């Protein structure tokens, strides 16, 4: 498209600004100041993840396949920056702020492995699916619908899976003390970063200024999420709740299930989504990604439609992503990012299991895509984030 | 064989995603307890003196 044929961007950008402001004001009017702040934080996440192309799946793939460690190093930096602030905050206000702490278990390990493998097959993770759907990727929208269904299905079976055996919740603060727990976390991240630098190809060891800026902004937003919500940044719970709400609207007796019968979850089911922390930030991420996509002069082309088996495969992959994330006590955001940043031992185990799953799946990916008659470009992460 | 069905562009798909979110919120508003603005939590959890009431994927 020539410059003369392009539509003017100023009216579009003005409309996007007004729309974003209206969403925040609407949330404030309906659900109060905390909900509005969380919507604003979600918008920020969406803008940063889409606008600065910061992601989780692509950097893992590039590290494994082409020894490009820049994106993975930016992730470690974001987690470390978040931990630097989150650890002292959690220690100072243990009754007001909760970390993303969960137990390590047999099912949790297997589910993290499956999540890591599936996210490489479809090139989409918890945050990635939200961002890509919001930014207009048709296949990601399919994956998001599957993710919602899968994370809801996971809640229905969570008790059975955790009954296979799990350890108590271990945190690095609890094991080493508040200050030493932070040092152990930072030392662990530094050790991993050193390993990534060593394994990376020369010239692909230093994150670009864009990635460094994105990592800093993601860390700042994650801290704001903790301070405002009282809990760490998460994705999966909100999507499972959306599935439960849809099930309820379809006449399903969701409260008959043990998970949803628990007081905390029953309350979430009965209250508005605009009072649910992760729903608010998830909605904000989708809107923020849409705004960032439309802000550009050229939003870029749609991903290829893909074959019918391919579309079905993407939908089912979304279901597997959602289900496994629920069983693993989180996805790349709730378990890997927030878990490690707030001292949960399960965050480290999740990362190891999911990374191993990713490495294995990347070998099988060409055959799986061929089997689904799907080109790599026709996946939720077809336009890969760096 | 090439598909003759046109693909929606990125803007249209993004708008469709937003419409689905709006539909979800409408469905939710019909079946949830109405929000009580007087019972809204303090703007920021830190310093509020209250335990967080939200739920997270790390919870059982």
């Amino acid at each position: 498209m020539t410059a003369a044929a392009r539509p003017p961007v100023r009216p579009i950008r003005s409309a996007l600004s007004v729309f974003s402001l209206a969403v925040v004001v609407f949330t404030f009017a309906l659900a109060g100041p905390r909900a509005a702040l969380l919507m604003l934080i979600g918008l920020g996440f969406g803008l940063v993840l889409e606008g600065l192309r910061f992601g989780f799946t692509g950097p893992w793939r590039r590290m494994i396949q082409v020894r490009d460690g820049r994106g993975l190093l930016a992730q470690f930096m974001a987690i470390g920056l978040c931990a630097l602030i989150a650890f002292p905050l959690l220690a100072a206000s243990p009754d007001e702020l909760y970390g993303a702490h969960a137990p390590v278990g047999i099912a949790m390990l297997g589910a993290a492995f499956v999540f890591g493998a599936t996210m490489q097959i479809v090139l989409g993770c918890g945050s990635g699916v939200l961002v890509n759907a919001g930014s207009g990727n048709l296949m990601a929208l399919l994956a998001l619908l599957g993710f919602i269904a899968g994370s809801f299905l996971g809640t229905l079976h969570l008790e059975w899976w955790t009954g296979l055996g799990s350890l108590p919740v271990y945190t690095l603060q609890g094991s080493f003390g508040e200050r030493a727990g932070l040092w152990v976390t930072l030392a662990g991240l530094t050790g991993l970063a050193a390993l990534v630098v060593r394994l990376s190809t020369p010239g692909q060891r230093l994150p670009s200024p864009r990635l460094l800026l994105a990592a800093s902004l993601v860390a700042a937003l994650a801290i704001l999420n903790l301070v405002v919500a009282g809990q760490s940044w998460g994705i999966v719970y909100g999507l499972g709740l959306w599935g439960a709400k849809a099930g309820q609207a379809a006449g399903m007796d969701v409260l008959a299930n043990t998970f949803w019968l628990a007081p905390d979850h029953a309350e979430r089911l009965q209250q508005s989504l605009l009072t649910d922390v992760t729903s608010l930030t998830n909605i904000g991420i989708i809107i923020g990604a849409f705004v960032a996509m439309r802000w550009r002069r050229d939003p870029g082309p749609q991903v290829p439609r893909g074959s019918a088996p391919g579309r079905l495969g993407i939908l089912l992959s979304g279901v597997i992503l959602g289900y496994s994330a629920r069983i693993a006590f989180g996805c790349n955001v709730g378990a890997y990012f927030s878990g490690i940043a707030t001292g949960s031992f399960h965050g480290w185990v999740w990362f190891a299991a999911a990374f191993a799953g990713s490495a294995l799946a990347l070998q099988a990916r060409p055959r799986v895509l061929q089997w689904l008659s799907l080109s790599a470009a026709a996946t939720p992460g077809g336009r890969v984030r760096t | 064989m090439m598909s003759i069905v046109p693909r929606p562009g990125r803007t249209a798909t993004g708008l469709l995603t937003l419409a689905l979110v709006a539909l979800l919120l409408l469905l939710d508003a019909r079946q949830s307890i109405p929000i009580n603005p007087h019972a809204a939590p303090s703007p920021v959890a830190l310093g509020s003196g209250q335990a967080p009431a939200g739920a997270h994927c790390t919870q059982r």
Side-chain angles (χ1 to χ4, degrees):
Chain A
M1 193 184 286
T2 63
R6 281 196 202 119
V9 289
R10 187 172 288 180
I12 294 174
R13 289 179 178 175
S14 300
L16 291 169
S17 303
V18 170
F19 172 62
S20 303
L21 187 65
V23 167
V24 176
V25 170
F26 175 77
T27 310
F28 177 82
L30 281 180
R34 186 182 294 190
L37 283 174
L38 287 169
M39 183 63 81
L40 199 57
I41 291 167
L43 275 165
F45 275 127
L47 289 170
V48 172
L49 295 174
E50 170 64 21
L52 294 175
R53 300 192 307 283
F54 185 89
F56 291 88
T57 312
W60 288 25
R61 180 180 64 81
R62 275 189 299 283
M63 181 61 217
I64 293 165
Q65 288 193 320
V66 293
R67 294 285 186 263
D68 177 352
R70 293 172 294 181
L72 193 53
L73 289 169
Q75 290 175 17
F76 294 156
M77 179 188 145
I79 296 171
L81 285 173
C82 187
L84 264 176
I85 312 289
F87 270 68
L89 282 178
L90 290 168
S93 306
D95 298 327
E96 294 167 350
L97 308 181
Y98 294 168
H101 303 155
V104 172
I106 293 168
M108 177 254 135
L109 260 170
F113 182 89
V114 170
F115 185 93
T118 313
M119 77 186 230
Q120 292 301 340
I121 297 292
V122 299
L123 284 184
C125 53
S127 55
V129 165
L130 286 176
V131 169
N132 287 331
S135 67
N137 180 317
L138 195 56
M139 300 303 260
L141 179 55
L142 272 181
L144 175 60
L145 295 174
F147 204 122
I148 292 169
S151 42
F152 171 54
L153 281 173
T155 63
L156 304 182
H157 307 145
L158 183 62
E159 195 188 14
W160 186 86
W161 284 110
T162 49
L164 293 178
S166 65
L167 297 170
V169 175
Y170 287 116
T171 64
L172 298 186
Q173 300 95 316
S175 302
F176 301 102
E178 299 296 349
R179 190 167 292 185
L182 173 59
W183 286 116
V184 171
T185 299
L186 296 178
L189 289 168
T190 307
L192 278 177
L195 183 65
V196 168
V197 167
R198 188 184 157 88
L199 293 174
S200 295
T201 310
Q204 299 190 331
R205 292 170 169 157
L206 188 65
S208 64
R210 167 182 61 81
L211 275 176
L212 294 176
L213 174 65
S216 307
L217 290 173
V218 166
L221 287 164
I223 290 296
L224 280 174
N225 192 106
L226 178 65
V227 166
V228 172
Q231 66 179 49
S232 304
W233 180 28
I235 302 266
V236 177
Y237 187 89
L239 298 183
L241 182 61
W242 296 4
K245 292 271 189 184
Q248 220 175 22
M252 188 175 170
D253 185 9
V254 177
L255 280 170
N257 178 265
T258 319
F259 179 88
W260 293 105
L261 198 57
D264 282 355
H265 306 309
E267 189 187 350
R268 294 272 56 84
L269 198 56
Q270 288 160 355
Q271 299 289 334
S272 164
L273 285 177
L274 292 177
T275 65
D276 176 57
V277 172
T278 46
S279 293
L280 285 163
T281 45
N282 284 352
I283 293 169
I285 288 172
I286 291 173
I287 296 173
F290 175 79
V291 169
M293 177 271 291
R294 277 306 300 152
W295 197 270
R296 296 190 184 107
R297 284 189 180 277
D298 178 12
Q302 180 60 271
V303 294
R305 180 184 286 274
S307 62
R311 291 195 293 273
L312 183 64
I314 294 294
L315 185 69
L316 289 176
S317 299
V319 174
I320 295 170
L321 278 175
Y323 192 90
S324 56
R326 180 58 270 185
I327 305 302
F329 295 113
C331 60
N332 51 297
V333 170
Y336 165 52
F337 186 98
S338 296
I340 294 177
T342 61
S344 182
F345 183 62
H346 112 285
W348 291 96
V349 175
W350 190 99
F351 173 61
F355 203 84
S358 284
L360 189 76
L362 279 169
Q363 293 188 359
R365 187 169 191 260
R367 285 192 297 279
V368 174
L369 292 184
Q370 192 180 25
W371 182 62
L372 293 172
S373 309
L374 204 60
S375 70
T379 57
R383 190 180 46 81
V384 172
R385 243 166 270 287
T386 49
Chain B
M1 192 172 74
M2 258 177 79
S3 169
I4 54 166
V5 183
R7 282 177 299 152
R10 291 189 63 192
T11 303
T13 308
L15 285 172
L16 175 64
T17 308
L18 296 184
L20 288 174
V21 171
L23 180 68
L24 176 75
L25 290 174
L26 277 176
L27 269 178
D28 175 50
R30 285 176 57 135
Q31 65 188 31
S32 298
I33 299 169
I35 301 171
N36 177 2
H38 302 295
S42 59
V44 176
L46 183 65
S48 67
Q50 295 169 330
H56 195 263
C57 44
T58 47
Q59 278 180 306
R60 294 169 86 156

